Amino acid sequence: MALAATWRFVILASNAVSFHSDEAIIGLMARHILQGQPIPTFFYGQAYMGSLDALLVSLSFRVFGESVLSIRLVQSALYLLTVGTTMLIALRLSNNRTVAAIVGVLMALPSPLVALYTTISLGGYGETLLIGNLLLLTACEISLRERWNSWQHWLVLGGLVGLGWWTNNLIVVYIFPVAILMLRSWRHIVWSRVGGAALAFFVFSAPWWLYNFTHDWESIHFLSGGFQPVGGGLEDRLLGFLLLGLPAVIGVRYSWAVNLWASLWVIPLIILYVGLLVAASRRASLMWWMLVGIIMIFVGSSFGVDATGRYLLPMIIPLSILLAFGAQRLQARWMGAMLGLIMLLIGTNVIGTGLALRTIPPGLTPQFDPATDFTNDYDQQVIDFLHEHGGQYGYATYWASYRLAFLSHETIILSPQLPYKASLVYTSTERYPAYTDKVAQAKQHVFVTVNLPALDAIIAQKMTGAAITYTQQAIGPYTVFYDISKEVTPAELGLQDLPAVP
C-alpha cells in the first residue's frame, strides 16, 4: 500500500497527466452540486455513468478546495482501496500471504493504461473497480465461508450490484463470475435472502430506474446500440482486443498510440504471461471465469470497437491474481526465479509509465487523436487574454470549452459548437445546455479553436466573405477570434456542415 501511494505521488507530481474536457465535466458537476443545484443522475449530456464520481469529488472540493488535484486525489484514494481489496480477494482465494503480497506489488505498480485511468476521472471507472472488488469479496464470504443464511451479506451483495449498475454498467463483468460462483452451489441458496438482495439492488440503483422511466429508456437504447455507428464486426473486435486492447492492459502499448512502445520485448513478456497463467490453470476458478467473461462481453458487444483499453480495466484483477498463483508455485524450489519473474513484470510497467511521464507531450493522456491532445501550458494565458478582451462568452471546440470553463471558475463560458476533429466533421457534444443559453444571451462573442489550423483558415475565410471584421490571436495551440464586428454563430457561418478533410 505504501508502494502504491508513493508511485501515485510520483505520477501526480510529474505534471505529465493532461487535463481535458471530459475530466473537467466531473469537476463542473461537483462544483454545481456544492452550489446547491440538483444532483444529476448521469454524467452531463448522456444517459449512462452515474454521478457517484461527481458526488465524491464534491466532498474533495469541500475539504481541499476546487482544483484538478482535488479531483485526482479522489481517484488515487479509490485506487489505493482497490489495491487493498484485490489483496484481500487473493488472500480469500489462496489463504496464502505470499500470493496476496505478489498481487499487491503487481497492483501497486500497474501498466501505463491502469496508471492513467486511475489518475484521471472520466465518470466512474475507479469506483467500478472498487465496487466490483467489494462485490467479489462479499460473494466469497457467502459462498466460500457459507454465509448463505446471512441477511447482511445478501443485502450488501444486492446493494453493491445496484450501486455499480448506476455508477457504470461495466459492473456486469463482475456480476458474471459472481453469478457462476453462486449457481455452482445453488442448493445452498436461501431464496428469501435472494429476494432481499433484489430489493437492495433496486434501492441502490434507483436513480437509474427513475431516470429511464421518465426518459423513454435512453440508457437501454445506448447499451443496445453502443458505438455501432463507427462499425466493427466480431472479427474486427477480436483483432482489436488481441492487437490493441490486451497489449495495453499488460503494459506494452500506450492506450493513445497504435504501436508497441516495448518493441520486441513483447515476445518474451507474452511467453512469461502464458507460462504463469498455465501454472495457475487449475486454481482460482473464480478469476478464470471473470477473465473469460470480460473477453466475451468485450468482443461480443458493440463497445468492443473501442480498443483503447478503458473497458478492459477490470482485467487487471483476475490477471494479477492468476499471475500471483502461477508465481507462487515457483516459491518452494526456485525463490530466486519467482522474484526475478515478478521484477520483470513490474519492471515493464514502471519503465513504460516512466517513459510516458518523461515524454511531454503527450505524457499520460486519454486522447488518441493528436488534434484533440494539447498540454495545459497555455490555458491560463488564454483565460487571462479572454478576460482582458471581453471574451467571456463565445464558441469553441469541445476540448477547449469545458476545460476553460472549469479552470476559469466559469468566468469563461464557451459553447462547444465548433468542429474539434482534424477531419472538420462537426459532432454535437452539448454536455451542459445552460452554457449555450448564456452564450446566446451575450452581446459579444469570441471563437476559440485549438490545434486546427485548417479550421482557423476556414473561419477567417467565411468571416471575410460575410464582411465581418475581427482580430485573430494565437496563444500556443489556441487561436482566438475576437472583436468580431457582427453577431454570428458557427451554424450561420456554415461551420457545422463542412466537407470532411481527408
Side-chain angles (χ1 to χ4, degrees):
M1 293 292 286
L3 183 63
T6 301
W7 189 231
R8 186 50 48 112
F9 174 80
V10 171
I11 293 172
L12 290 174
S14 69
N15 199 31
V17 186
S18 53
F19 177 73
H20 290 285
S21 280
D22 280 347
E23 191 173 9
I25 293 292
I26 295 296
L28 291 168
M29 290 171 65
R31 178 184 293 157
H32 297 161
I33 290 171
L34 288 180
Q35 292 172 349
Q37 295 188 30
I39 298 174
T41 302
F42 296 113
F43 190 91
Y44 277 165
Q46 62 190 38
Y48 58 100
M49 291 203 305
S51 57
L52 176 62
D53 195 28
L55 286 166
L56 295 177
V57 172
S58 70
L59 295 177
S60 180
F61 282 180
R62 187 178 292 276
V63 176
F64 302 109
E66 296 181 8
S67 68
V68 176
L69 179 59
S70 295
I71 299 173
R72 293 175 176 177
L73 287 176
V74 171
Q75 297 306 308
S76 297
L78 289 169
Y79 189 67
L80 290 178
L81 292 172
T82 299
V83 173
T85 50
T86 306
M87 294 173 69
L88 286 176
I89 294 169
L91 194 59
R92 284 284 183 273
L93 296 177
S94 68
N95 199 29
N96 186 301
R97 296 177 68 85
T98 299
V99 171
I102 294 172
V103 168
V105 174
L106 292 175
M107 292 290 294
L109 301 171
S111 66
L113 171 77
V114 179
L116 167 64
Y117 283 103
T118 58
T119 299
I120 63 174
S121 178
L122 293 183
Y125 292 99
E127 287 83 355
T128 302
L129 291 176
L130 179 57
I131 294 170
N133 272 5
L134 295 175
L135 179 58
L136 291 172
L137 280 171
T138 306
C140 287
E141 284 292 308
I142 294 174
S143 178
L144 303 183
R145 296 201 169 190
E146 299 190 353
R147 312 278 191 180
W148 298 102
N149 202 41
S150 170
W151 275 107
Q152 295 93 326
H153 285 85
W154 281 102
L155 289 175
V156 169
L157 185 79
L160 288 169
V161 174
L163 184 63
W165 182 254
W166 169 51
T167 301
N168 192 321
N169 300 126
L170 192 60
I171 196 68
V172 70
V173 303
Y174 293 89
I175 298 173
F176 176 74
V178 165
I180 290 178
L181 180 66
M182 295 300 185
L183 291 174
R184 286 175 63 182
S185 303
W186 65 272
R187 292 181 180 178
H188 295 88
I189 294 176
V190 181
W191 293 103
S192 62
R193 306 301 188 262
V194 176
L199 177 62
F201 165 78
F202 285 110
V203 169
F204 280 84
S205 61
W208 191 93
W209 296 99
L210 292 173
Y211 179 90
N212 281 282
F213 277 140
T214 56
H215 289 81
D216 192 29
W217 300 98
E218 288 183 18
S219 301
I220 297 296
H221 296 320
F222 173 77
L223 290 174
S224 60
F227 298 131
Q228 280 184 335
V230 296
L234 180 61
E235 299 83 0
D236 296 327
R237 297 195 294 271
L238 180 60
L239 285 175
F241 168 76
L242 294 174
L243 301 180
L244 297 175
L246 187 58
V249 171
I250 67 174
V252 296
R253 182 184 79 85
Y254 295 132
S255 60
W256 57 89
V258 175
N259 298 327
L260 304 175
W261 74 264
S263 189
L264 294 179
W265 170 242
V266 68
I267 297 174
L269 190 69
I270 289 177
I271 294 173
L272 173 57
Y273 264 85
V274 171
L276 290 176
L277 291 176
V278 169
S281 59
R282 295 184 179 181
R283 307 179 70 183
S285 60
L286 177 65
M287 294 296 99
W288 281 111
W289 280 116
M290 183 175 177
L291 198 61
V292 170
I294 291 171
I295 296 171
M296 290 175 56
I297 292 169
F298 180 80
V299 174
S301 72
S302 57
F303 295 93
V305 300
D306 184 342
T308 56
R310 56 180 173 159
Y311 293 128
L312 296 173
L313 283 175
M315 280 189 71
I316 63 171
I317 308 301
L319 271 181
S320 297
I321 293 175
L322 290 172
L323 290 172
F325 268 107
Q328 187 265 338
R329 293 191 65 180
L330 301 174
Q331 180 186 12
R333 296 183 180 180
W334 301 292
M335 174 65 79
M338 183 195 75
L339 294 175
L341 294 179
I342 298 303
M343 291 299 295
L344 289 175
L345 290 174
I346 64 174
T348 301
N349 293 340
V350 171
I351 292 172
T353 305
L355 290 174
L357 296 179
R358 289 174 55 88
T359 309
I360 307 173
L364 286 175
T365 178
Q367 301 298 108
F368 46 85
D369 182 354
T372 63
D373 189 32
F374 45 98
T375 66
N376 301 108
D377 297 340
Y378 295 91
D379 293 346
Q380 191 57 50
Q381 292 184 40
V382 172
I383 292 170
D384 293 341
F385 181 87
L386 292 173
H387 282 146
E388 292 170 4
H389 294 84
Q392 286 87 346
Y393 298 96
Y395 305 98
T397 61
Y398 172 79
W399 298 108
S401 60
Y402 298 110
R403 167 172 167 168
L404 295 179
F406 177 78
L407 294 175
S408 70
H409 297 276
E410 294 179 272
T411 59
I412 303 296
I413 302 297
L414 304 171
S415 177
Q417 295 190 35
L418 292 176
Y420 64 83
K421 300 178 181 179
S423 66
L424 301 187
V425 173
Y426 174 72
T427 302
S428 178
T429 49
E430 184 70 81
R431 295 287 187 189
Y432 192 59
Y435 284 173
T436 298
D437 295 339
K438 290 182 178 181
V439 170
Q441 296 168 9
K443 296 182 179 180
Q444 186 176 0
H445 296 147
V446 294
F447 282 56
V448 180
T449 68
V450 196
N451 264 356
L452 293 172
L455 179 60
D456 296 340
I458 292 173
I459 292 174
Q461 177 188 11
K462 288 185 174 291
M463 284 192 178
T464 301
I468 300 172
T469 61
Y470 61 91
T471 304
Q472 182 175 341
Q473 177 66 45
I475 305 174
Y478 289 91
T479 301
V480 180
F481 295 83
Y482 65 104
D483 285 342
I484 300 173
S485 63
K486 179 183 176 182
E487 296 287 331
V488 65
T489 67
E492 291 169 345
L493 286 177
L495 299 176
Q496 297 177 355
D497 300 300
L498 298 174
V501 175

